Amino acid sequence: MLFDTHVHLNAEQYEEDLEEVILRAQEAGVSHMVCVGFDRPTINKAMELAEKYEFIYACIGWHPVDAIDMTDEDLIWIEDLAGHPKVVAIGEMGLDYHWDKSPKEIQKEVFRRQIQLAKKVKLPIVIHNREATADIVEILQEEGAAEVGGIMHCFSGSPEVAVECLKMNFYISLGGPVTFKNAKKPKEVAAVVPIEKLLIETDCPYLAPHPYRGKRNEPGYVKLVAEQIAEIKGLSFEEVANITTANAKKIFDIN
């Protein structure tokens, strides 16, 4: 029972062999996945997959890199889709200061509007953060994001920041980087955050765990993330798998 809380099976990297990738995930013990859409084409594909597969759910929002492209109509459309029974979260949203396509002020505005939308539709939020930690924490606090809570996706911050996020009703999700030999911070975070507040993900097709680093990632590899966390926590693989799955079902309100 593994729950991959963040996949992009709607990405073009899976156009040739999607069915095989899904089958391999199930063979690896993955029982649930959340497919994340972050613009018009990927949201449409995420919804298609959620409707086709009983064990795939959708998270829909607008990516900060593309914030400059989001229109009022897009936000209304996301709000309409949020009522679908397979939509379990709003996102991924947040800030990305690595790329300069969208000015910071526009990113912040789009981020705030999506938090407000999530509070309106009563769904948790999924946060994308790249090189913008202080601003993200500040906006989450100012917008009262604790009301809906959510997930710090592929968390790369410090243990101290993780603790701040826990106070705001967020879960900390770890992916492939926790398995990298030189990744000190994710391992420290895995050690500090209570297992009841941890989630696992692949962010596939990106960030494949060791020993697949640099190759295309896929949901079946989430098992390697769970194994690494088990080692760090001094728990069995089964305990980590069961607890992180229960955590995911709780935040996404899946029975």
Side-chain angles (χ1 to χ4, degrees):
M1 281 278 285
L2 293 160
F3 196 135
D4 189 342
T5 59
H6 200 110
V7 304
H8 295 285
L9 291 178
N10 44 357
E12 60 187 14
Q13 287 90 331
Y14 301 111
E15 277 173 10
E16 302 296 316
D17 63 345
L18 180 62
E19 296 288 337
E20 291 93 328
V21 169
I22 290 171
L23 191 61
R24 282 196 291 274
Q26 291 181 295
E27 286 167 353
V30 179
S31 58
H32 300 76
M33 305 177 218
V34 172
C35 187
V36 180
F38 52 79
D39 59 15
R40 285 257 175 185
T42 58
I43 288 171
N44 278 324
K45 183 71 174 167
M47 296 302 296
E48 277 173 37
L49 290 169
E51 287 182 343
K52 183 175 179 183
Y53 297 96
E54 190 184 346
F55 50 89
I56 296 179
Y57 296 81
C59 167
I60 57 170
W62 211 267
H63 201 284
V65 171
D66 300 316
I68 197 165
D69 300 326
M70 194 191 82
T71 64
D72 291 345
E73 288 73 24
D74 291 324
L75 204 61
I76 292 164
W77 177 61
I78 289 168
E79 183 178 342
D80 288 344
L81 286 177
H84 191 288
K86 293 295 288 288
V87 172
V88 293
I90 304 295
E92 59 190 279
M93 65 174 79
L95 302 171
D96 191 313
Y97 293 169
H98 184 76
W99 306 106
D100 59 5
K101 179 185 170 185
S102 295
K104 289 180 183 179
E105 290 312 310
I106 292 176
Q107 288 192 40
K108 288 177 183 177
E109 176 63 19
V110 166
F111 184 20
R112 288 182 189 276
R113 291 180 73 188
Q114 289 186 89
I115 298 170
Q116 291 157 11
L117 169 62
K119 287 164 74 174
K120 186 177 175 184
V121 298
K122 297 181 169 53
L123 285 175
I125 58 178
V126 174
I127 302 299
H128 171 100
N129 170 20
R130 193 162 184 192
E131 299 167 22
T133 301
D135 286 353
I136 289 221
V137 170
E138 184 181 339
I139 289 171
L140 290 174
Q141 289 169 338
E142 288 176 357
E143 293 295 336
E147 185 184 313
V148 287
I151 298 168
M152 304 307 291
H153 140 65
C154 216
F155 187 79
S156 60
S158 66
E160 293 76 18
V161 173
V163 171
E164 279 301 304
C165 295
L166 293 177
K167 289 178 190 167
M168 291 189 286
N169 201 19
F170 277 78
Y171 286 78
I172 304 297
S173 185
L174 297 173
V178 77
T179 69
F180 298 168
K181 290 194 169 28
N182 60 348
K184 197 165 152 246
K185 265 202 226 168
K187 289 180 169 63
E188 289 173 352
V189 167
V192 166
V193 174
I195 187 67
E196 291 76 21
K197 282 295 190 176
L198 278 177
L199 298 171
I200 56 175
E201 64 167 277
T202 55
D203 196 22
C204 64
Y206 319 106
L207 294 174
H210 177 79
Y212 301 103
R213 190 173 182 178
K215 298 186 168 71
R216 183 188 73 169
N217 200 0
E218 51 182 77
Y221 298 165
V222 79
K223 187 176 185 181
L224 297 164
V225 176
E227 286 171 350
Q228 180 68 63
I229 291 171
E231 191 179 313
I232 292 166
K233 287 282 195 196
L235 297 169
S236 71
F237 166 75
E238 288 75 20
E239 285 173 305
V240 171
N242 289 336
I243 295 169
T244 55
T245 295
N247 295 345
K249 287 182 172 181
K250 187 176 178 185
I251 185 64
F252 293 129
D253 195 22
I254 294 169
N255 298 324

